[in-house]
Amino acid sequence: INAEYMGNFSGSMQSAWTWLWGSISHLSEATRPPFACVFPEHWAASVGLLVIAAIPYLLLGGFFFLCDCGVITCLESRRIQPNPKSPRSAADFVKCLAGTISAQLFVLLPVVLFVFMPLFEWRVPGVLTSVLVVPPWHVVCGHVLVSAIVNDTIFYWLHRLFHSKPLFFLHKKHHEFRAPFAWASEHASIPEFLLVDAVPVFVGPLLLGSHIFSVSVWVLLRLVYTIEVPVQKRCCRR
């Protein structure tokens, strides 16, 4: 790979990240509650990760929502499940979206703020004060790859565990919609949402002591994958 090209790429990534985190910092200052004033870096990083996770969830999920509504038809021929056993209604979409956003704001955000961010600060002291310095691209790629392997391993076994008879009552909510759609990817009970969906995502970055930029890239890619899986569309023609 051309060294000059990679240098330009790294510079562009640094500029884009500086702009994005600057915007997130302004947002976090405007929304910071009184109890978060004693650890503003934790609050800013927590809000930042939530915003970065919300981007694919709302935008990509919204695109597939328009596909489900028939507004966008370019993917209709690729549908795996042409005749859903349980048709989806507008109420299904609203119920799922409202429930997931509520879980992210009132469950995930406090857990990230009070648990994961202190753990990140303990694992790599000063990591939240050097947020604007983007790590080398090969470090970012390596951390994302390891985080993906760790996440998939933990998620697989926890998911199987929640399918067992003693715990299926906690997993049943995830199968509420017989015809899956993008926003239903995170439709789950609170225990499952935390233990199966959230915790595996952060284990890899915590073990590696990843930079917030690497964590953000990983969270973004993980959400894109999470949203695409239940859409029931083929990625390519056979």
Side-chain angles (χ1 to χ4, degrees), residues 223-236:
L223 261 295
V224 169
Y225 171 73
T226 300
I227 291 167
E228 188 275 335
V229 166
V231 171
Q232 299 299 318
K233 310 281 185 182
R234 295 190 182 93
C235 292
C236 58

mmCIF file with all atom_site columns, all heavy atoms in Angstrom, residues 223-236:
data_model
loop_
_atom_site.group_PDB
_atom_site.id
_atom_site.type_symbol
_atom_site.label_atom_id
_atom_site.label_alt_id
_atom_site.label_comp_id
_atom_site.label_asym_id
_atom_site.label_entity_id
_atom_site.label_seq_id
_atom_site.pdbx_PDB_ins_code
_atom_site.Cartn_x
_atom_site.Cartn_y
_atom_site.Cartn_z
_atom_site.occupancy
_atom_site.B_iso_or_equiv
_atom_site.pdbx_formal_charge
_atom_site.auth_seq_id
_atom_site.auth_comp_id
_atom_site.auth_asym_id
_atom_site.auth_atom_id
_atom_site.pdbx_PDB_model_num
ATOM 1   N N   . LEU A 1 223 ? -22.711 -2.711  15.215 1.00 0.00 ? 223 LEU A N   1
ATOM 2   C CA  . LEU A 1 223 ? -24.119 -2.337  15.053 1.00 0.00 ? 223 LEU A CA  1
ATOM 3   C C   . LEU A 1 223 ? -24.595 -2.543  13.623 1.00 0.00 ? 223 LEU A C   1
ATOM 4   O O   . LEU A 1 223 ? -25.733 -2.957  13.394 1.00 0.00 ? 223 LEU A O   1
ATOM 5   C CB  . LEU A 1 223 ? -24.326 -0.888  15.485 1.00 0.00 ? 223 LEU A CB  1
ATOM 6   C CG  . LEU A 1 223 ? -24.884 -0.671  16.892 1.00 0.00 ? 223 LEU A CG  1
ATOM 7   C CD1 . LEU A 1 223 ? -26.296 -1.218  17.003 1.00 0.00 ? 223 LEU A CD1 1
ATOM 8   C CD2 . LEU A 1 223 ? -23.998 -1.333  17.941 1.00 0.00 ? 223 LEU A CD2 1
ATOM 9   N N   . VAL A 1 224 ? -23.731 -2.254  12.646 1.00 0.00 ? 224 VAL A N   1
ATOM 10  C CA  . VAL A 1 224 ? -24.101 -2.484  11.244 1.00 0.00 ? 224 VAL A CA  1
ATOM 11  C C   . VAL A 1 224 ? -24.391 -3.968  11.027 1.00 0.00 ? 224 VAL A C   1
ATOM 12  O O   . VAL A 1 224 ? -25.408 -4.341  10.416 1.00 0.00 ? 224 VAL A O   1
ATOM 13  C CB  . VAL A 1 224 ? -22.975 -2.006  10.302 1.00 0.00 ? 224 VAL A CB  1
ATOM 14  C CG1 . VAL A 1 224 ? -23.234 -2.488  8.877  1.00 0.00 ? 224 VAL A CG1 1
ATOM 15  C CG2 . VAL A 1 224 ? -22.863 -0.491  10.333 1.00 0.00 ? 224 VAL A CG2 1
ATOM 16  N N   . TYR A 1 225 ? -23.525 -4.825  11.551 1.00 0.00 ? 225 TYR A N   1
ATOM 17  C CA  . TYR A 1 225 ? -23.722 -6.271  11.425 1.00 0.00 ? 225 TYR A CA  1
ATOM 18  C C   . TYR A 1 225 ? -24.980 -6.715  12.167 1.00 0.00 ? 225 TYR A C   1
ATOM 19  O O   . TYR A 1 225 ? -25.775 -7.515  11.664 1.00 0.00 ? 225 TYR A O   1
ATOM 20  C CB  . TYR A 1 225 ? -22.494 -6.995  11.969 1.00 0.00 ? 225 TYR A CB  1
ATOM 21  C CG  . TYR A 1 225 ? -22.659 -8.493  12.091 1.00 0.00 ? 225 TYR A CG  1
ATOM 22  C CD1 . TYR A 1 225 ? -22.675 -9.295  10.957 1.00 0.00 ? 225 TYR A CD1 1
ATOM 23  C CD2 . TYR A 1 225 ? -22.801 -9.095  13.334 1.00 0.00 ? 225 TYR A CD2 1
ATOM 24  C CE1 . TYR A 1 225 ? -22.837 -10.658 11.059 1.00 0.00 ? 225 TYR A CE1 1
ATOM 25  C CE2 . TYR A 1 225 ? -22.959 -10.464 13.445 1.00 0.00 ? 225 TYR A CE2 1
ATOM 26  C CZ  . TYR A 1 225 ? -22.972 -11.240 12.306 1.00 0.00 ? 225 TYR A CZ  1
ATOM 27  O OH  . TYR A 1 225 ? -23.139 -12.594 12.414 1.00 0.00 ? 225 TYR A OH  1
ATOM 28  N N   . THR A 1 226 ? -25.175 -6.192  13.371 1.00 0.00 ? 226 THR A N   1
ATOM 29  C CA  . THR A 1 226 ? -26.340 -6.562  14.179 1.00 0.00 ? 226 THR A CA  1
ATOM 30  C C   . THR A 1 226 ? -27.644 -6.213  13.474 1.00 0.00 ? 226 THR A C   1
ATOM 31  O O   . THR A 1 226 ? -28.610 -6.988  13.512 1.00 0.00 ? 226 THR A O   1
ATOM 32  C CB  . THR A 1 226 ? -26.293 -5.833  15.541 1.00 0.00 ? 226 THR A CB  1
ATOM 33  O OG1 . THR A 1 226 ? -25.106 -6.213  16.231 1.00 0.00 ? 226 THR A OG1 1
ATOM 34  C CG2 . THR A 1 226 ? -27.491 -6.180  16.397 1.00 0.00 ? 226 THR A CG2 1
ATOM 35  N N   . ILE A 1 227 ? -27.686 -5.062  12.828 1.00 0.00 ? 227 ILE A N   1
ATOM 36  C CA  . ILE A 1 227 ? -28.900 -4.607  12.161 1.00 0.00 ? 227 ILE A CA  1
ATOM 37  C C   . ILE A 1 227 ? -29.159 -5.393  10.882 1.00 0.00 ? 227 ILE A C   1
ATOM 38  O O   . ILE A 1 227 ? -30.297 -5.711  10.545 1.00 0.00 ? 227 ILE A O   1
ATOM 39  C CB  . ILE A 1 227 ? -28.800 -3.103  11.848 1.00 0.00 ? 227 ILE A CB  1
ATOM 40  C CG1 . ILE A 1 227 ? -28.857 -2.308  13.151 1.00 0.00 ? 227 ILE A CG1 1
ATOM 41  C CG2 . ILE A 1 227 ? -29.897 -2.650  10.900 1.00 0.00 ? 227 ILE A CG2 1
ATOM 42  C CD1 . ILE A 1 227 ? -28.455 -0.884  12.998 1.00 0.00 ? 227 ILE A CD1 1
ATOM 43  N N   . GLU A 1 228 ? -28.093 -5.753  10.168 1.00 0.00 ? 228 GLU A N   1
ATOM 44  C CA  . GLU A 1 228 ? -28.256 -6.419  8.874  1.00 0.00 ? 228 GLU A CA  1
ATOM 45  C C   . GLU A 1 228 ? -28.754 -7.856  9.018  1.00 0.00 ? 228 GLU A C   1
ATOM 46  O O   . GLU A 1 228 ? -29.526 -8.334  8.176  1.00 0.00 ? 228 GLU A O   1
ATOM 47  C CB  . GLU A 1 228 ? -26.915 -6.380  8.125  1.00 0.00 ? 228 GLU A CB  1
ATOM 48  C CG  . GLU A 1 228 ? -26.969 -6.861  6.692  1.00 0.00 ? 228 GLU A CG  1
ATOM 49  C CD  . GLU A 1 228 ? -26.824 -8.371  6.571  1.00 0.00 ? 228 GLU A CD  1
ATOM 50  O OE1 . GLU A 1 228 ? -26.225 -8.992  7.483  1.00 0.00 ? 228 GLU A OE1 1
ATOM 51  O OE2 . GLU A 1 228 ? -27.316 -8.914  5.565  1.00 0.00 ? 228 GLU A OE2 1
ATOM 52  N N   . VAL A 1 229 ? -28.351 -8.531  10.097 1.00 0.00 ? 229 VAL A N   1
ATOM 53  C CA  . VAL A 1 229 ? -28.655 -9.956  10.232 1.00 0.00 ? 229 VAL A CA  1
ATOM 54  C C   . VAL A 1 229 ? -30.145 -10.277 10.197 1.00 0.00 ? 229 VAL A C   1
ATOM 55  O O   . VAL A 1 229 ? -30.568 -11.174 9.464  1.00 0.00 ? 229 VAL A O   1
ATOM 56  C CB  . VAL A 1 229 ? -28.008 -10.522 11.518 1.00 0.00 ? 229 VAL A CB  1
ATOM 57  C CG1 . VAL A 1 229 ? -28.579 -11.895 11.849 1.00 0.00 ? 229 VAL A CG1 1
ATOM 58  C CG2 . VAL A 1 229 ? -26.502 -10.629 11.342 1.00 0.00 ? 229 VAL A CG2 1
ATOM 59  N N   . PRO A 1 230 ? -30.997 -9.582  10.977 1.00 0.00 ? 230 PRO A N   1
ATOM 60  C CA  . PRO A 1 230 ? -32.416 -9.975  10.984 1.00 0.00 ? 230 PRO A CA  1
ATOM 61  C C   . PRO A 1 230 ? -33.236 -9.426  9.826  1.00 0.00 ? 230 PRO A C   1
ATOM 62  O O   . PRO A 1 230 ? -34.446 -9.651  9.773  1.00 0.00 ? 230 PRO A O   1
ATOM 63  C CB  . PRO A 1 230 ? -32.919 -9.386  12.311 1.00 0.00 ? 230 PRO A CB  1
ATOM 64  C CG  . PRO A 1 230 ? -32.101 -8.170  12.495 1.00 0.00 ? 230 PRO A CG  1
ATOM 65  C CD  . PRO A 1 230 ? -30.747 -8.495  11.930 1.00 0.00 ? 230 PRO A CD  1
ATOM 66  N N   . VAL A 1 231 ? -32.606 -8.720  8.894  1.00 0.00 ? 231 VAL A N   1
ATOM 67  C CA  . VAL A 1 231 ? -33.362 -8.077  7.845  1.00 0.00 ? 231 VAL A CA  1
ATOM 68  C C   . VAL A 1 231 ? -33.972 -9.085  6.879  1.00 0.00 ? 231 VAL A C   1
ATOM 69  O O   . VAL A 1 231 ? -34.961 -8.803  6.207  1.00 0.00 ? 231 VAL A O   1
ATOM 70  C CB  . VAL A 1 231 ? -32.469 -7.064  7.099  1.00 0.00 ? 231 VAL A CB  1
ATOM 71  C CG1 . VAL A 1 231 ? -33.137 -6.528  5.856  1.00 0.00 ? 231 VAL A CG1 1
ATOM 72  C CG2 . VAL A 1 231 ? -32.129 -5.915  8.014  1.00 0.00 ? 231 VAL A CG2 1
ATOM 73  N N   . GLN A 1 232 ? -33.350 -10.269 6.781  1.00 0.00 ? 232 GLN A N   1
ATOM 74  C CA  . GLN A 1 232 ? -33.818 -11.309 5.879  1.00 0.00 ? 232 GLN A CA  1
ATOM 75  C C   . GLN A 1 232 ? -33.728 -10.882 4.426  1.00 0.00 ? 232 GLN A C   1
ATOM 76  O O   . GLN A 1 232 ? -34.614 -11.098 3.619  1.00 0.00 ? 232 GLN A O   1
ATOM 77  C CB  . GLN A 1 232 ? -35.254 -11.714 6.213  1.00 0.00 ? 232 GLN A CB  1
ATOM 78  C CG  . GLN A 1 232 ? -35.438 -12.277 7.622  1.00 0.00 ? 232 GLN A CG  1
ATOM 79  C CD  . GLN A 1 232 ? -34.615 -13.537 7.830  1.00 0.00 ? 232 GLN A CD  1
ATOM 80  O OE1 . GLN A 1 232 ? -34.547 -14.404 6.965  1.00 0.00 ? 232 GLN A OE1 1
ATOM 81  N NE2 . GLN A 1 232 ? -33.980 -13.651 8.981  1.00 0.00 ? 232 GLN A NE2 1
ATOM 82  N N   . LYS A 1 233 ? -32.621 -10.231 4.079  1.00 0.00 ? 233 LYS A N   1
ATOM 83  C CA  . LYS A 1 233 ? -32.335 -9.887  2.692  1.00 0.00 ? 233 LYS A CA  1
ATOM 84  C C   . LYS A 1 233 ? -31.032 -10.570 2.317  1.00 0.00 ? 233 LYS A C   1
ATOM 85  O O   . LYS A 1 233 ? -30.108 -10.661 3.112  1.00 0.00 ? 233 LYS A O   1
ATOM 86  C CB  . LYS A 1 233 ? -32.171 -8.376  2.498  1.00 0.00 ? 233 LYS A CB  1
ATOM 87  C CG  . LYS A 1 233 ? -33.282 -7.536  3.093  1.00 0.00 ? 233 LYS A CG  1
ATOM 88  C CD  . LYS A 1 233 ? -34.510 -7.526  2.215  1.00 0.00 ? 233 LYS A CD  1
ATOM 89  C CE  . LYS A 1 233 ? -35.536 -6.566  2.789  1.00 0.00 ? 233 LYS A CE  1
ATOM 90  N NZ  . LYS A 1 233 ? -36.766 -6.530  2.016  1.00 0.00 ? 233 LYS A NZ  1
ATOM 91  N N   . ARG A 1 234 ? -30.905 -11.034 1.088  1.00 0.00 ? 234 ARG A N   1
ATOM 92  C CA  . ARG A 1 234 ? -29.622 -11.578 0.633  1.00 0.00 ? 234 ARG A CA  1
ATOM 93  C C   . ARG A 1 234 ? -28.692 -10.434 0.265  1.00 0.00 ? 234 ARG A C   1
ATOM 94  O O   . ARG A 1 234 ? -29.111 -9.407  -0.254 1.00 0.00 ? 234 ARG A O   1
ATOM 95  C CB  . ARG A 1 234 ? -29.835 -12.476 -0.591 1.00 0.00 ? 234 ARG A CB  1
ATOM 96  C CG  . ARG A 1 234 ? -30.636 -13.726 -0.320 1.00 0.00 ? 234 ARG A CG  1
ATOM 97  C CD  . ARG A 1 234 ? -30.574 -14.658 -1.526 1.00 0.00 ? 234 ARG A CD  1
ATOM 98  N NE  . ARG A 1 234 ? -31.381 -15.834 -1.304 1.00 0.00 ? 234 ARG A NE  1
ATOM 99  C CZ  . ARG A 1 234 ? -32.634 -15.956 -1.682 1.00 0.00 ? 234 ARG A CZ  1
ATOM 100 N NH1 . ARG A 1 234 ? -33.224 -14.949 -2.279 1.00 0.00 ? 234 ARG A NH1 1
ATOM 101 N NH2 . ARG A 1 234 ? -33.299 -17.069 -1.449 1.00 0.00 ? 234 ARG A NH2 1
ATOM 102 N N   . CYS A 1 235 ? -27.417 -10.642 0.536  1.00 0.00 ? 235 CYS A N   1
ATOM 103 C CA  . CYS A 1 235 ? -26.433 -9.607  0.198  1.00 0.00 ? 235 CYS A CA  1
ATOM 104 C C   . CYS A 1 235 ? -26.023 -9.687  -1.275 1.00 0.00 ? 235 CYS A C   1
ATOM 105 O O   . CYS A 1 235 ? -25.513 -8.734  -1.832 1.00 0.00 ? 235 CYS A O   1
ATOM 106 C CB  . CYS A 1 235 ? -25.196 -9.752  1.086  1.00 0.00 ? 235 CYS A CB  1
ATOM 107 S SG  . CYS A 1 235 ? -25.526 -9.372  2.814  1.00 0.00 ? 235 CYS A SG  1
ATOM 108 N N   . CYS A 1 236 ? -26.198 -10.837 -1.898 1.00 0.00 ? 236 CYS A N   1
ATOM 109 C CA  . CYS A 1 236 ? -25.849 -10.967 -3.310 1.00 0.00 ? 236 CYS A CA  1
ATOM 110 C C   . CYS A 1 236 ? -26.771 -11.998 -3.953 1.00 0.00 ? 236 CYS A C   1
ATOM 111 O O   . CYS A 1 236 ? -27.303 -12.870 -3.269 1.00 0.00 ? 236 CYS A O   1
ATOM 112 C CB  . CYS A 1 236 ? -24.388 -11.380 -3.488 1.00 0.00 ? 236 CYS A CB  1
ATOM 113 S SG  . CYS A 1 236 ? -23.948 -12.916 -2.672 1.00 0.00 ? 236 CYS A SG  1
#
